[in-house]
Amino acid sequence: MSSSNEELKQSAENEHLEEMEEEMAFAEQEIVKSEEHLLEQIAQAEKKAEENWELLLRTRAEMENLRKRTEKDLENAHKYGMEKFVNEMLPVKDSMEMGLAAEDVTVESLHEGMKLTMNMFNTTFEKLNVQEINPLNEPFDPELHQAMTMQEAVDVEPNTVISVMQKGYLLNDRLVRPAMVIVSKKPE
């Protein structure tokens, strides 16, 4: 009987060992799968890191090119910003030179030439978005007018512009020069 118990015991131990070997083999397979999965994840992460690094380098290069292009554009704007103004003023200058070079000048022809030159100036100012401020008989506006003096006036409301000594100008709705004016006040 002892031999049979021992055989049973041995058989149980063998089965237990086989089960443990199977479990270990399964665990090893799981470890290998897990290891393969981790290596795959590392490879994907390295690939993504490489892509992001290349993207960073391209973005830096693009930003540097943009900075240089913007610097160049700004430099050209400062350098050639007056080009439009100069091109618009050249015909006016040409007209004045022709008037000065004229031989048989009469007061009427001189007056006519000045009117034409003034029209050229006004057209140029319109193209450049320069607006004239001529506030005669308008209420005084300290944002656009500079009062040179006040004068008593019976026939107009107080704080009305009664004389314009020098017209003012706006460039793109920004004040370049206020109109110099005389403003009415109540008689004392």
Side-chain angles (χ1 to χ4, degrees):
M1 196 175 224
S2 81
S3 146
S4 167
N5 274 344
E6 269 190 42
E7 284 178 12
L8 280 175
K9 196 175 180 184
Q10 185 66 34
S11 174
E13 282 180 13
N14 285 343
E15 280 180 30
H16 182 64
L17 279 174
E18 284 176 12
E19 285 177 13
M20 285 186 69
E21 284 176 0
E22 285 176 14
E23 285 178 13
M24 285 188 61
F26 180 75
E28 282 179 12
Q29 287 175 352
E30 289 299 311
I31 289 172
V32 169
K33 284 181 187 176
S34 179
E35 198 175 281
E36 287 172 356
H37 181 69
L38 287 174
L39 289 173
E40 187 179 306
Q41 285 181 327
I42 289 171
Q44 288 175 354
E46 285 174 345
K47 183 180 176 187
K48 186 69 176 170
E50 182 66 28
E51 289 172 2
N52 287 337
W53 180 252
E54 288 174 12
L55 179 63
L56 172 72
L57 293 178
R58 277 195 307 273
T59 303
R60 278 186 181 170
E62 286 175 17
M63 291 299 294
E64 183 63 19
N65 289 340
L66 179 62
R67 185 189 62 75
K68 287 178 182 175
R69 192 169 35 253
T70 303
E71 259 179 26
K72 181 80 170 158
D73 290 348
L74 186 59
E75 179 183 321
N76 285 339
H78 286 295
K79 193 172 183 180
Y80 303 112
M82 296 291 292
E83 185 175 8
K84 181 179 179 184
F85 174 76
V86 170
N87 282 329
E88 295 296 334
M89 292 303 293
L90 288 175
V92 177
K93 183 179 186 302
D94 294 341
S95 174
M96 293 175 85
E97 286 175 346
M98 287 175 19
L100 291 172
E103 294 286 323
D104 298 325
V105 180
T106 64
V107 172
E108 292 83 24
S109 66
L110 185 60
H111 190 262
E112 185 64 30
M114 289 179 75
K115 281 169 79 175
L116 289 172
T117 302
M118 184 57 75
N119 285 339
M120 291 174 80
F121 261 120
N122 289 335
T123 301
T124 299
F125 276 8
E126 280 179 26
K127 288 179 183 177
L128 298 173
N129 205 20
V130 175
Q131 300 161 328
E132 184 178 271
I133 303 171
N134 187 5
L136 186 62
N137 298 323
E138 293 178 7
F140 176 74
D141 181 353
E143 298 288 322
L144 300 174
H145 311 144
Q146 181 176 350
M148 301 310 289
T149 186
M150 293 188 81
Q151 207 171 65
E152 291 180 359
V154 198
D155 51 343
V156 292
E157 290 286 318
N159 285 333
T160 301
V161 175
I162 56 174
S163 179
V164 178
M165 299 167 71
Q166 190 177 61
K167 296 176 184 175
Y169 292 92
L170 298 170
L171 173 61
N172 296 318
D173 297 322
R174 181 178 172 193
L175 186 65
V176 176
R177 181 177 82 186
M180 293 184 188
V181 298
I182 296 175
V183 182
S184 65
K185 68 177 181 178
K186 243 187 215 182
E188 293 178 11

